[in-house]
Amino acid sequence: MGSEMCIRDRFEVVYEPLLPPALAPLPPQYPPSRSDPAAVVGADADTAETRGNGASDGVGNNGGTGNGASDGVGNNGGTGASIDDANAAVGELVACSLRLGADEPSAAAAADVVEQLRRRGRAVVRLACAPSNAARAGVGSGAWLAYERAQAWALLVLLQKLMEAASTGELVLLARGAVDGALAIGASKALEFEFPDLRVRRVLMPRALCAHWLDAPARAHATGTPTVAPHADALRALRAALGAPGERDVVVRMVGMRPVAAALRLRPLPLPLPLPSAARARGAASAIDARDGVYLVTGGTGGIGAQLVRWLVRERGVAPERVLLLCRRPPEGEPPEGARVIVVDGGALGCARALGAHAELCALRRVDGIFHLAGALADGAIHRMASIDTLDVPLAPKVGALALAAAASALMWRTEWVVIFSSSSSLLGYGGQANYCAANSLLDHAARWPSPLAPGRDADAGNSDGDGDGDGDGDGDGDGD
């Protein structure tokens, strides 16, 4: 971009595979074999349990088509590990101290986490996905957002109790790789800046691993109920994710059929910025159509937003009337470069239905691109947060990105791209900004996994093999208005 934009650095998020530490030797052979249908990623758990390991007589198969005897003797006189041994290994790794949903943890539940940290130096908190009614409503809906907001607050309440107890060690947050749990994950990144004695490790896993290789073995270990043992690759991935020293954010991703733990890294990218794929596909010199393009900007009256508007008008030649500033209130003074202002009530900005019914937005026949820079701060240390409302000020403008993307689809604007200005807080964490970290984490997860921002994305796309995502911060926060 031009010099006025002052882009100092650009990074993309890439995955760096982690080697499993030598926490304990793997058994010589793990059932099921790689040819067993139960080992296939995404296999239905109920089907897998009927077709997989079913032997309990200690000598071989006795009601299933897979491997496994409870005494560790595999097929054909092999020496494979038993289902019980496999479940015990996974159960020990992911022994859950607390399953966290929308309810604040009770005193007893928090005491259990404190005790796990004291006794083992580690406690595992599993972030539960939204219930079915919220999940059906969809990412960004009121029901879904209410659950995610409540879960993030429940985690903050737990962190307050751990701080009061002067807990030390490592708190592991286990979550599915999805937009679900993004607020809680982001909020946790402020903890170490405010309470360094308690570290947080966040581990995101594919849906198949959560349902088939994590939940089922953990339940079996806790209840003694037989189930399918995880493949050795799954156990190695879990060990690497939980055991790699110093790692704070780990994704277990699928490389073909194999789960592999990888740490997120920021890799510098050279300037100038490469063209978006849509622009390359049509052979355009720029992704900005100066003659006919219409571009909508949220947060366009803030510092970075004003710079962006100047860049569009002065350097890309877009007519000011084709730059639309979506604002919560009329700007003080003249808008940057004489751009057109559309005032939308603050409550409507977070509601796709309300945006879709706004008269001025309905009158638009096309919006070629959207720049979302809106943001707000309401700083405060975790131990001073008194109510769930402390999340709302920074969260509201970020949720607006999801609503705006959904409205763009409903209004059939055929928008070619959406540029989201997030913040380095969602990657690195900032002290005193747990709510701001949470809000920006929502944007990052929504861009990586299926959501109104990425409607065509596969459910495990954020965990699958491939190139880096190209996410970056530019020169810092992208917030305005």
Side-chain angles (χ1 to χ4, degrees), residues 26 38 53 111 124 126 132 135 186 215 225 232 265 278 285 293 309 326 337 349 351 377-378 382 400 480:
L26 283 172
N53 307 310
V124 178
R126 179 72 187 275
S132 57
D215 289 340
T225 304
R265 299 284 188 262
V309 172
L326 197 61
E337 302 299 314
L349 279 175
C351 178
L377 293 173
I382 292 174

Short mmCIF file of all heavy atoms in Angstrom, two decimals, residues 26 38 53 111 124 126 132 135 186 215 225 232 265 278 285 293 309 326 337 349 351 377-378 382 400 480:
data_model
loop_
_atom_site.label_atom_id
_atom_site.label_comp_id
_atom_site.label_asym_id
_atom_site.label_seq_id
_atom_site.Cartn_x
_atom_site.Cartn_y
_atom_site.Cartn_z
N LEU A 26 5.26 -45.43 23.75
CA LEU A 26 4.05 -45.95 23.15
C LEU A 26 4.10 -47.46 23.14
O LEU A 26 5.18 -48.06 23.00
CB LEU A 26 3.91 -45.45 21.71
CG LEU A 26 3.45 -44.00 21.52
CD1 LEU A 26 3.57 -43.64 20.05
CD2 LEU A 26 2.02 -43.83 22.00
N ALA A 38 -12.88 -47.93 11.94
CA ALA A 38 -13.00 -47.12 13.14
C ALA A 38 -11.91 -46.09 13.26
O ALA A 38 -12.03 -45.12 13.99
CB ALA A 38 -12.99 -48.01 14.38
N ASN A 53 -12.96 -52.33 18.07
CA ASN A 53 -12.46 -53.26 19.06
C ASN A 53 -13.57 -53.76 19.94
O ASN A 53 -14.18 -53.01 20.66
CB ASN A 53 -11.41 -52.57 19.92
CG ASN A 53 -10.36 -51.96 19.05
OD1 ASN A 53 -9.84 -52.62 18.18
ND2 ASN A 53 -10.08 -50.68 19.26
N ALA A 111 -12.68 -25.34 43.32
CA ALA A 111 -11.77 -25.97 44.29
C ALA A 111 -11.10 -27.21 43.69
O ALA A 111 -9.93 -27.49 43.97
CB ALA A 111 -12.53 -26.32 45.57
N VAL A 124 -7.03 -29.41 33.49
CA VAL A 124 -7.59 -29.38 32.14
C VAL A 124 -9.02 -28.89 32.21
O VAL A 124 -9.84 -29.43 32.96
CB VAL A 124 -7.53 -30.77 31.48
CG1 VAL A 124 -8.17 -30.72 30.08
CG2 VAL A 124 -6.09 -31.25 31.38
N ARG A 126 -12.24 -28.23 29.73
CA ARG A 126 -12.79 -28.48 28.40
C ARG A 126 -13.88 -27.45 28.11
O ARG A 126 -14.84 -27.31 28.87
CB ARG A 126 -13.37 -29.89 28.33
CG ARG A 126 -13.99 -30.24 26.97
CD ARG A 126 -12.91 -30.42 25.92
NE ARG A 126 -13.49 -30.59 24.62
CZ ARG A 126 -13.92 -31.75 24.13
NH1 ARG A 126 -13.81 -32.83 24.86
NH2 ARG A 126 -14.44 -31.81 22.93
N SER A 132 -27.57 -27.44 21.34
CA SER A 132 -28.13 -27.64 20.00
C SER A 132 -28.97 -26.46 19.52
O SER A 132 -28.92 -26.10 18.35
CB SER A 132 -28.97 -28.92 19.98
OG SER A 132 -29.99 -28.86 20.97
N ALA A 135 -26.56 -23.82 18.47
CA ALA A 135 -25.80 -24.27 17.31
C ALA A 135 -26.65 -24.21 16.05
O ALA A 135 -26.18 -23.82 14.98
CB ALA A 135 -25.28 -25.68 17.54
N GLY A 186 -9.75 -16.29 23.67
CA GLY A 186 -9.11 -14.97 23.60
C GLY A 186 -8.95 -14.35 24.97
O GLY A 186 -7.90 -13.77 25.29
N ASP A 215 -13.24 -37.70 23.42
CA ASP A 215 -14.38 -37.85 24.33
C ASP A 215 -14.63 -39.30 24.70
O ASP A 215 -14.79 -39.64 25.87
CB ASP A 215 -15.64 -37.26 23.70
CG ASP A 215 -15.58 -35.75 23.62
OD1 ASP A 215 -14.77 -35.16 24.37
OD2 ASP A 215 -16.31 -35.16 22.82
N THR A 225 -16.31 -48.06 30.81
CA THR A 225 -17.09 -48.57 29.69
C THR A 225 -16.19 -48.83 28.50
O THR A 225 -15.42 -47.95 28.10
CB THR A 225 -18.17 -47.54 29.29
OG1 THR A 225 -18.96 -47.23 30.43
CG2 THR A 225 -19.04 -48.10 28.18
N ALA A 232 -2.44 -44.82 17.43
CA ALA A 232 -1.19 -44.31 18.00
C ALA A 232 -0.92 -42.88 17.54
O ALA A 232 -0.40 -42.07 18.31
CB ALA A 232 -0.03 -45.22 17.59
N ARG A 265 2.66 -19.99 14.31
CA ARG A 265 3.81 -19.09 14.21
C ARG A 265 3.45 -17.92 13.30
O ARG A 265 2.61 -18.04 12.40
CB ARG A 265 5.02 -19.82 13.61
CG ARG A 265 5.51 -21.00 14.44
CD ARG A 265 6.27 -20.53 15.66
NE ARG A 265 6.90 -21.65 16.35
CZ ARG A 265 6.38 -22.26 17.41
NH1 ARG A 265 5.22 -21.86 17.90
NH2 ARG A 265 7.00 -23.26 17.98
N ALA A 278 -9.06 -13.26 -6.05
CA ALA A 278 -10.09 -12.84 -7.02
C ALA A 278 -9.51 -11.89 -8.05
O ALA A 278 -9.84 -11.95 -9.24
CB ALA A 278 -11.26 -12.19 -6.28
N ALA A 285 -5.18 -5.30 -12.47
CA ALA A 285 -3.99 -4.68 -11.90
C ALA A 285 -4.18 -4.39 -10.43
O ALA A 285 -3.22 -4.17 -9.72
CB ALA A 285 -3.69 -3.39 -12.66
N GLY A 293 -16.41 0.54 -8.59
CA GLY A 293 -16.46 -0.16 -7.31
C GLY A 293 -17.11 0.65 -6.21
O GLY A 293 -16.99 1.87 -6.15
N VAL A 309 -9.50 5.48 4.15
CA VAL A 309 -10.36 6.23 3.22
C VAL A 309 -9.51 7.11 2.32
O VAL A 309 -9.74 7.20 1.11
CB VAL A 309 -11.39 7.06 4.00
CG1 VAL A 309 -12.16 7.98 3.06
CG2 VAL A 309 -12.36 6.14 4.75
N LEU A 326 -19.97 3.30 7.35
CA LEU A 326 -21.06 2.81 8.18
C LEU A 326 -20.73 3.17 9.63
O LEU A 326 -19.78 2.64 10.20
CB LEU A 326 -21.21 1.30 8.01
CG LEU A 326 -22.52 0.67 8.48
CD1 LEU A 326 -23.70 1.23 7.71
CD2 LEU A 326 -22.45 -0.85 8.32
N GLU A 337 -12.27 12.78 3.41
CA GLU A 337 -12.31 12.86 1.94
C GLU A 337 -13.72 13.05 1.40
O GLU A 337 -13.97 12.78 0.22
CB GLU A 337 -11.69 11.59 1.33
CG GLU A 337 -10.27 11.34 1.75
CD GLU A 337 -9.32 12.47 1.33
OE1 GLU A 337 -9.42 12.90 0.16
OE2 GLU A 337 -8.50 12.90 2.16
N LEU A 349 -26.09 -2.81 14.36
CA LEU A 349 -24.81 -3.24 13.80
C LEU A 349 -24.48 -4.68 14.14
O LEU A 349 -23.72 -5.33 13.43
CB LEU A 349 -23.69 -2.32 14.29
CG LEU A 349 -23.54 -0.99 13.56
CD1 LEU A 349 -22.48 -0.13 14.21
CD2 LEU A 349 -23.20 -1.23 12.10
N CYS A 351 -26.78 -7.09 14.37
CA CYS A 351 -27.91 -7.92 13.97
C CYS A 351 -28.04 -7.93 12.45
O CYS A 351 -28.34 -6.90 11.84
CB CYS A 351 -29.19 -7.40 14.62
SG CYS A 351 -30.68 -8.32 14.14
N LEU A 377 -12.64 0.13 23.24
CA LEU A 377 -11.91 -0.39 24.40
C LEU A 377 -12.68 -0.14 25.69
O LEU A 377 -13.41 0.85 25.81
CB LEU A 377 -10.54 0.29 24.50
CG LEU A 377 -9.51 -0.01 23.41
CD1 LEU A 377 -8.30 0.89 23.58
CD2 LEU A 377 -9.10 -1.48 23.45
N ALA A 378 -12.51 -1.05 26.61
CA ALA A 378 -13.03 -0.89 27.97
C ALA A 378 -12.10 -1.68 28.88
O ALA A 378 -12.44 -2.74 29.39
CB ALA A 378 -14.47 -1.38 28.08
N ILE A 382 -8.44 -8.56 35.07
CA ILE A 382 -9.36 -9.67 35.26
C ILE A 382 -9.94 -9.68 36.67
O ILE A 382 -11.16 -9.85 36.86
CB ILE A 382 -8.65 -11.01 34.96
CG1 ILE A 382 -8.32 -11.11 33.46
CG2 ILE A 382 -9.52 -12.20 35.38
CD1 ILE A 382 -7.49 -12.32 33.09
N GLY A 400 -20.28 -7.00 14.89
CA GLY A 400 -20.82 -6.34 13.70
C GLY A 400 -20.25 -6.88 12.41
O GLY A 400 -20.92 -6.86 11.37
N GLY A 480 -11.19 1.65 14.87
CA GLY A 480 -11.53 3.04 14.74
C GLY A 480 -12.95 3.26 15.19
O GLY A 480 -13.56 2.42 15.77
#
